[in-house]
Amino acid sequence: MQNNAMRDGLTRYIHKTYGAKPDFPWLKYPSYAVFRHGDNKKWFAVILDVPRQKLGLKGDGAVDIINLKCGQALLGSLLMTEGFLPAYHMNKEHWVSVLLDGTVDKENICGLIDVSFMNTGKKTK
């Protein structure tokens, strides 16, 4: 999947699974899509296109990423895997950035979206 195809596929997955549509809150970054819970409005996913050098990657141009909340236990193992980076502009202890360039397959990313959704949901007593 190319960047736009992956971005579109994940957007469709999030909408179908959680009913969340992308919100584009920044005029300066019109392609940055935030996905929120319907009840508590907390973010559970953010899709961004970021210059490769800001992520410590080689090459020119930007790459699409998705930021997901995965928790500390999962984070350590993910960061040892190709395609996963410390979160861009998020809490690096709980969030991870995933490259959307085909390095990580869609099914794996969808599973992590599910984890992020659960980690950001309303807390039950």
Side-chain angles (χ1 to χ4, degrees), residues 16-29:
K16 181 180 175 186
T17 308
Y18 300 109
K21 292 184 179 180
D23 176 21
F24 301 93
W26 300 286
L27 290 176
K28 187 175 178 182
Y29 302 103

Side-chain angles (χ1 to χ4, degrees), residues 35-100:
F35 297 88
R36 305 170 192 263
H37 285 267
D39 54 2
N40 65 11
K41 304 299 181 203
K42 285 188 177 182
W43 300 9
F44 64 91
V46 185
I47 298 178
L48 318 101
D49 54 301
V50 180
R52 298 177 74 77
Q53 68 270 15
K54 287 192 176 188
L55 298 170
L57 300 173
K58 294 178 182 176
D60 295 324
V63 64
D64 281 347
I65 60 170
I66 186 168
N67 284 343
L68 300 167
K69 188 170 186 179
C70 61
Q72 292 177 326
L74 183 55
L75 182 64
S77 61
L78 289 176
L79 291 177
M80 293 189 297
T81 306
E82 186 178 9
F84 295 92
L85 305 165
Y88 178 75
H89 274 293
M90 299 294 276
N91 182 322
K92 290 171 180 32
E93 291 182 20
H94 302 281
W95 289 75
V96 66
S97 289
V98 185
L99 294 175
L100 300 183

